[in-house]
Each structure stands twice: as C-alpha cells, then as structure tokens.
Amino acid sequence: MSTGGKPRVLLMHPFLDPGPAILAEAAEVIPYPAGRPLDEASIRQAAEGCVGIVSQLMDPIRETVLSTPGLKVVSNVAVGFDNIDVAAATAHKVMVTNTPGVLDDATSDFAFTLLMATARRIVEADHFLRQGKFKGWAIDMMLGADVFGATLGLVGIGRIGRGVAHRAKGFNMRVLYYDPHPLPPDAEQQLGATRADLGRLLAESDFVSVHVPLTPETQHMLSTPQFEQMKRSAILINTSRGPVIDEAALVQALTAKKILGAGLDVYEREPAVHPGLVSMPNVVLAPHIASATTRTRSEMSAMAARNMATAARGGRPPNLVNPEVKK
Ligand code: DGY
C-alpha cells in the first residue's frame, strides 16, 4: 500500500492549490496516467496498491473500482457523487467523501445568471450585435421576459435551492418550492418561500430552477408530462445534474413551444449535448461551470484534499457520505 512510509493515493486529475500540497503531506500521490481512458477497468488498474482515490465527477467509481484490494477511501472533488456507487462502496467498507457547502454561493449565483441571461436573451443579443445586425434601436427588438416580481419555482430546497431563493428576494420574486422535506416555518418565512406540490409549482412558475441530486428517484423527474404542465412562457434552469431532465423531451417541448426557453449548465450525457439544444437561440448553454469561480474551485480542492489526508492518516474524514463505514 505504500513505499517510503506514506500511503499511496491515486489522483485522477490535477486539482487546484492548496489541494496538492495538503495531499502530498499525507500521501504519496500517484497521478492517473495521462491519456488513459476513464473506464472502470483502467481506473482499477491504476488504483492497485492505493488506499485512496481523489476523483472528479466524470470518473466512474463503481463495483470494479471499489473492490480493489486495500482501497479505503474515495474523495470526490464535488458535492455531487452520483459518479460513485455508494452502496457498493459501503459494502466494500470504502469511505466516500464530497465537498458540500463551499460551492453553494457560486452555484446559486450561476443559476441566477442563467435565469437572467435566458430571460433577457443576452447570448442571442451578443451574437446579433457581433454579426453586425444591430442597425439601430427598435421597439420590438429582443423582447424578453420580466424577472422582477415573477414567480420562481425551485425544485429542491437544499443549500443551493435556498441560495437561489435568497437571491430571488432581491428581485421581489414569489418563490414556490417543491421538496419532500419541508423547510422549518421560520426558514420559509425568512426566504419568503412557499411549499407546493410539483404540479402546482410547474403550473404557476415563470421560472423553474432545478436543485436536486441525481438519484434513481430524480432521474427524468422532468419529462413530457411535466413540461405539459408548465406555462408556455416558462423558462427552465438546470445547474444540478443533466439526467434529472429528459433532454430529448425538453428538446421536443421547446420545439413545440410548450415552454419558452432553458438555461442549462448540465447535460444528460456530458460532454455530449443534444444537437437540438445547440441549434436553439432561446436556450443558453454553459459547460458545467456553475461552481467555477477561482475561490470556490480552490476551496473544493482543499476540502477534498483534507478529506483524503484525514482518511489516509487513519482518521474519520469530515465529509463522509457513508458514515456507517467508519464509526
Ligand atoms: C458538483 O460539485 O457536484 C458540481 O457539479 C461541480 O462543482
């Protein structure tokens, strides 16, 4: 498991300072071989002899990898961990950690950025101008949707959903949320958010923003029947995980003008994006960058490194997703 005393840890991808230094103090860091594909068999081969893997969300960490002898911990540099089979990890007594909290503000900011950009057609307007099409002010040019005072429906009211609700207050928005776990009454009051069932939220919202983790229950939770319930003027925002939305159904809904537009940061088959989306001017597309601020990505790196360093030293890492593995 180690040479020269320190336990070996497989680093799947370079990450940001101060992550590398924190990790190097506790472990002998083995970089994932450049150019090697990210399939499970290759990852397992690279992980032989390692106690830990520092992974990112594009790494499939499932049974094949988790059954590597001697593997004790997988530290994901992300809050989401749907790339890891946590049940298999638990069965193999492998700890799984993530990076909650530090990316809430950046991600909430970005959901609001997508909302504003889609509502006010910023990307389309920028292209229009750069293409030399701006020939002077016109009363009907680039008409968009009002944000101030509009109704915002939050699908999921975890930390990031609450962050978006907080921002919406500044825009005097009426906020509905759908979540199996209600907020305490004082939090509802503070955020000005009202719990609703999904049908009501979809029917009443001008903007629907998705903030749920990807699980078997949330996969495709927004598909044709849900788009049918939305306002024709509604805009859908997704900064959570792509497969929560049925992307083909979304393209159909947008094409049939069942909803007005979408602002997306995540996709069902990343890095592939449905070609129907790419050709639509009423859709704003970002390459999974909601948490991509310099400070946030650095804090995510530090947190993941600390999680791994603690576990590599034999301790209980702070952000353990499967606490039953290490009492
Ligand atoms: C996460 O952390 O899960 C985001 O998708 C990337 O920051």
Side-chain angles (χ1 to χ4, degrees):
M1 294 302 119
S2 72
T3 57
K6 283 183 184 169
R8 289 159 67 100
V9 166
L10 177 65
L11 180 65
M12 291 298 300
H13 311 272
F15 65 158
L16 301 187
D17 288 338
I22 296 169
L23 194 58
E25 265 196 26
E28 181 191 347
V29 181
I30 315 293
Y32 190 69
R36 194 186 278 196
L38 291 179
D39 63 276
E40 285 190 70
S42 305
I43 298 174
R44 178 182 172 122
Q45 201 187 341
E48 295 285 348
C50 292
V51 299
I53 301 175
V54 178
S55 57
Q56 295 187 17
L57 52 84
M58 54 288 196
D59 305 325
I61 309 287
R62 309 202 189 278
E63 175 70 30
T64 305
V65 177
L66 293 162
S67 56
T68 308
L71 187 68
K72 296 267 180 292
V73 53
V74 177
S75 168
N76 218 33
V77 193
V79 66
F81 45 85
D82 45 277
N83 59 309
I84 303 172
D85 182 342
V86 177
T90 304
H92 289 285
K93 299 197 167 23
V94 175
M95 293 178 274
V96 176
T97 65
N98 69 340
T99 65
V102 291
L103 46 76
D104 297 348
D105 280 328
T107 305
S108 306
D109 284 350
F110 199 77
F112 224 86
T113 303
L114 279 179
L115 186 156
M116 296 290 290
T118 312
R120 300 305 306 272
R121 305 172 62 177
I122 291 298
V123 175
E124 199 187 342
D126 178 276
H127 290 165
F128 178 88
L129 184 142
R130 287 173 201 263
Q131 287 162 7
K133 293 181 181 166
F134 178 35
K135 304 294 184 202
W137 190 85
I139 197 146
D140 59 350
M141 186 166 60
M142 293 281 158
L143 301 180
D146 285 301
V147 174
F148 193 84
T151 297
L152 170 66
L154 297 169
V155 179
I157 197 83
R159 287 182 309 267
I160 296 169
R162 292 198 297 275
V164 177
H166 192 181
R167 284 149 182 79
K169 282 187 89 172
F171 283 80
N172 199 30
M173 295 178 95
R174 171 177 172 243
V175 177
L176 300 176
Y177 75 93
Y178 167 72
D179 197 297
H181 307 289
L183 289 172
D186 58 332
E188 281 192 353
Q189 201 181 356
Q190 202 199 346
L191 290 170
T194 303
R195 190 165 179 236
D197 61 36
L198 187 58
R200 176 178 165 213
L201 180 147
L202 295 171
E204 295 185 15
S205 296
D206 301 302
F207 299 92
V208 173
S209 190
V210 183
H211 303 286
V212 292
L214 175 61
T215 65
E217 290 73 38
T218 62
Q219 180 150 16
H220 281 194
M221 81 183 278
L222 297 181
S223 186
T224 303
Q226 289 71 38
F227 300 138
E228 299 277 356
Q229 293 176 72
M230 290 171 69
K231 293 183 181 179
R232 285 188 177 259
S233 56
I235 287 174
L236 178 65
I237 306 298
N238 190 10
T239 51
S240 64
R241 283 291 183 269
V244 173
I245 292 177
D246 179 344
E247 213 164 86
L250 174 61
V251 170
Q252 275 176 8
L254 287 163
T255 307
K257 302 199 183 328
K258 300 272 183 207
I259 64 171
L260 181 66
L264 306 173
D265 186 46
V266 289
Y267 306 91
E268 207 171 332
R269 291 174 199 82
E270 291 180 17
V273 179
H274 194 296
L277 293 172
V278 176
S279 61
M280 285 178 187
N282 49 336
V283 175
V284 174
L285 303 171
H288 203 149
I289 55 167
S291 68
T293 69
T294 306
R295 181 170 66 89
T296 296
R297 287 282 168 88
S298 160
E299 286 182 2
M300 289 166 66
S301 300
M303 197 173 201
R306 281 194 298 271
N307 286 336
M308 177 55 76
T310 304
R313 292 187 176 111
R316 188 174 197 271
N319 304 290
L320 201 47
V321 166
N322 52 350
E324 59 272 42
V325 170
K326 185 115 179 151
K327 299 277 188 230

